[in-house]
Amino acid sequence: MSDTCCSSENLQTGPKKDTCCNRKEETKAAPASACCSSNQENRIPVKVEKKSECCSSEPTGTTEKFSYRISGMDCPSCALTIEKGLSSMDEVEAVKVHYSSAKLDVTMKDSSAIERMEKEVGKLGFSIEPLLKNKKAKTYVIEGMDCGSCAKSIENHLNTFSKVQNVSVNFSTGKMKIEHENSVDEIISEVSKIGFKAFLEEKNKENTVIAKKENSYIITSGVLILLGFVGSYGDVSPLLTTIMYAAAMVMSGFKPVKSAFYALKSRSLDMNVLMSAAAIGAALIGEWLEGATVVWLFSLGTYLQNRSIEKTRNSIRSLMDLAPSEAWVKQGTQVVKKPVEEIGINDILVVKPGEKIPLDGEVLQGESSVNQAPITGESIPVDKLIGDLVYAGTINESGSLEIKVTKLVEDTTIAKIIHLVEEAQEQKAPTQAFVDRFAEIYTPIVFILALAVMILPPLVGFGTLDEWLYKGLELLVIACPCALVISTPVAIVSAIGNAAKNGILIKGGTFLEKAGSLDAIAFDKTGTLTEGKPKVTSVKTYKLPERELLSIALTLEEYSSHPIAKTIVEYATNLKISSKQGEMFKSIVGKGVQATINKEVFYAGNKRLFEELNISLKRYEHELQNLQSDGKTVVIIGTSKEILGVIAVADTIRPTTVKALKGLKQVGVNQIVMLTGDNNGTAERIATEANVSRYFAELLPEDKVEAIKQLQKEGYTVAMVGDGINDAPALATSDLGIAMGGAGTDTAMETADIVLMADNLEKLPHTVKLSRKALTIIKQNIWFSLIIKLIALVLIFPGWLTLWMAVLSDTGAALLVILNALRLLRVK
């Protein structure tokens, strides 16, 4: 059997072979008598080992599957580039990059080559970080980071320890995800060594005042510098003023110097290294005031930057506090208070008026108005009845409710929003990726230039050593690209945070930037521009009063399950019309219904039904034709002898649609397109009511894709707005996929690039406006940062720039950039 059984090729790609080998998809190990087993649990390394009984003589080795998050992809072609680049490696068995989720799945034949694979991704111009799914992985909150290089320094330092398997520090969210075998205290201690504070995420609230000690150091060192400066103009001994400056340098500079040491040890060239070198250099050439001022301004700037950046992070962290940590649970005849983590699916919650709803669920008893603004951004409370869904974090405003839990605490809508928003913050926008690459080149070039300035001119006899050392130190400070690097991520995080608080999920900086460049938006008609369910638009009577005709229609239709029948029943019921005594109900497939009322047979149906009854429709032909050309479905009511009247039913436009589309045109999106599978008459009616620019009618799902491609060929950057399920092909083809009604719809939240949590389009103009505002601020920040650096460089060589001015230009510019970006949190 060995010739047909278990070659390594069959294990990797082939189907099941006889009875010997398992199929690749199987997750259970083969019986002992079998030859080749595989264990392919989710995100667990796959072991495929040779068995001597029947496998080929070539060893299969061990394959392991790894998952990564990729940052920096700005289009699907980037995903293809990574796939091609990694496929060329002999050690890579299979690779797949999911552009929409920025995820890389790679199967390695030789796990020892994993570092080379990661470096290969880096060479291609992208950032790669492991997805930590192990139970050993913990999340820490990091305090004190003021730019992305700090995050890199922490990663490099912790990666030097054998008990740390994976570590990923994200500057934007202020969090560290780490998989380690040593204790939490050891990790916190190692992070503190490099100059930062770390706390387990769940313990963060207990440490909100930890920075007071550091603040006192900044204040004290500032006072010492001031006293030394004033004393230098009096009778104070120069030695004493020098001691004051040195003490100030130690107090303000201890943290950045320690951070610089570990950064150099980890082969990182971050701002702590550059600032520390500048301060120590200033002291060595006797410029104690300059050196003390450098570290004090740097520490003060870093503190102010951290305080400002925390505002952007708090825009997301505030979402975490929306849902209460405890809930009242019904247990028999008692109501018990329990932590939400201990509550299971189908448990019954009791929520009183004014309380927040703890978990997602379905209303079992009671009626109330619920404020859903935290989830959907809607300012008007929504009425909730028995059977309606409610979401964790929303506020029960009036009546008492009994709610059956449908989702555990980690699976609630608000939990998914927080997860998606944090993931979005971790994605680099194209601009950010470019700036980071620029900074990676800029910093070492200026650093080398600074060394050259310090050494070369004095060697050739051009000026004194002290003079050129000073200029070189100024160049070191200017080499810090802090303001430039921070210019983009803070703006993106602020914009994404603003959007999340308004019921809009933007899944990354790439999509935020893309929304700002839109000049065409295509809408699915049914359920997007329209309500998605038919309504009675008009009633025409020929022989009877309107209420009498509706009473007969109600009697005929109330036993039918057809959507149009239900619409007529709902319409008549709302008018408080009662049905008649009917009997012998019969459904006529594809045509209508009939019933006997007062010993006479009545019918409700389409034209074909009455044509088969040989009833002439000539008198009504023109009116029926007009109704149908307006895109309405006509239900004819009559007997076997005559027509009594007609009821016109149509899908109606949403109340918010016209206002939303008008808002889009006001923010500069002039090409508003409607896509529909309905006939031309219906499409024309809805297009006129909604005031869209153009429409495509009678489309199949694949035709919608072609319509999007046609718009793209015409030169438009196109967004597609749909429900995230039926319109998936068109959403995928468009430049930007936008799903609406994301609350409670997991598929919409997962598939689209932007999700409007409320089931209306009112937030769409705000999304475009916010995106364009973000792009404007990013450009302002980048140009401001570059111009400040250029001015500082120009002022060095005439000797007009002092060292403390160089520091102020760096930290001051970074602070101004952050404050400018924070304006995005207030965009309404």
Side-chain angles (χ1 to χ4, degrees), residues 492-510:
I492 288 171
V493 170
S494 298
I496 289 173
N498 178 311
K501 291 174 76 173
N502 284 283
I504 305 159
L505 289 185
I506 302 175
K507 291 192 177 178
T510 299

Side-chain angles (χ1 to χ4, degrees), residues 219-229 241 243-245 247-248 251:
I219 293 168
T220 305
S221 58
V223 170
L224 286 172
I225 292 170
L226 181 62
L227 290 173
F229 180 73
T241 58
I243 291 171
M244 287 181 183
Y245 293 145
M251 294 184 75

Side-chain angles (χ1 to χ4, degrees), residues 123-136:
K123 287 178 185 176
L124 294 170
F126 304 96
S127 299
I128 180 170
E129 61 181 49
L131 283 173
L132 304 177
K133 297 296 179 184
N134 196 296
K135 289 182 180 178
K136 294 178 185 175

Side-chain angles (χ1 to χ4, degrees), residues 454-469 471:
M454 290 178 189
I455 298 167
L456 295 179
L459 281 178
V460 296
F462 188 71
T464 64
L465 179 62
D466 284 0
E467 178 189 348
W468 286 105
L469 274 175
K471 292 183 189 296

Side-chain angles (χ1 to χ4, degrees), residues 555-569:
T555 308
L556 289 163
E557 302 283 21
E558 63 184 344
Y559 290 100
S560 173
S561 60
H562 195 281
I564 291 176
K566 288 181 178 179
T567 300
I568 293 171
V569 169

Side-chain angles (χ1 to χ4, degrees), residues 257-314:
V257 169
K258 187 170 69 170
S259 298
F261 171 74
Y262 283 99
L264 285 173
K265 194 176 177 182
S266 305
R267 289 178 293 182
S268 295
L269 189 66
D270 65 9
M271 61 186 298
N272 289 300
V273 174
L274 299 174
M275 287 293 180
S276 299
I280 293 169
L284 290 175
I285 62 173
E287 296 287 348
W288 287 98
L289 173 59
E290 293 274 5
T293 308
V294 164
V295 290
W296 183 77
L297 285 173
F298 176 61
S299 299
L300 178 63
T302 300
Y303 169 74
L304 294 174
Q305 288 174 42
N306 289 335
R307 287 290 302 271
S308 302
I309 291 167
E310 280 301 307
K311 289 186 179 179
T312 66
R313 292 175 182 154
N314 286 337

Side-chain angles (χ1 to χ4, degrees), residues 542-605:
Y542 304 127
K543 304 287 184 180
L544 302 171
E546 184 176 312
R547 291 184 70 85
E548 180 70 13
L549 179 73
L550 287 171
S551 179
I552 293 170
L554 175 61
T555 308
L556 289 163
E557 302 283 21
E558 63 184 344
Y559 290 100
S560 173
S561 60
H562 195 281
I564 291 176
K566 288 181 178 179
T567 300
I568 293 171
V569 169
E570 183 182 356
Y571 181 77
T573 304
N574 288 341
L575 291 174
K576 295 186 169 40
I577 293 171
S578 57
S579 61
K580 298 181 179 295
Q581 189 67 38
E583 56 186 3
M584 298 179 69
F585 292 91
K586 181 181 177 183
S587 176
I588 307 167
V589 179
K591 297 169 190 174
V593 294
Q594 72 175 61
T596 302
I597 303 172
N598 295 331
K599 298 181 181 180
E600 186 174 6
V601 180
F602 287 81
Y603 298 90

Side-chain angles (χ1 to χ4, degrees), residues 19-23 26-39 51:
T19 59
C20 177
C21 295
N22 290 337
R23 295 172 64 184
E26 290 186 33
T27 57
K28 295 182 180 178
S33 59
C35 73
C36 302
S37 66
S38 65
N39 179 12
K51 298 288 182 179

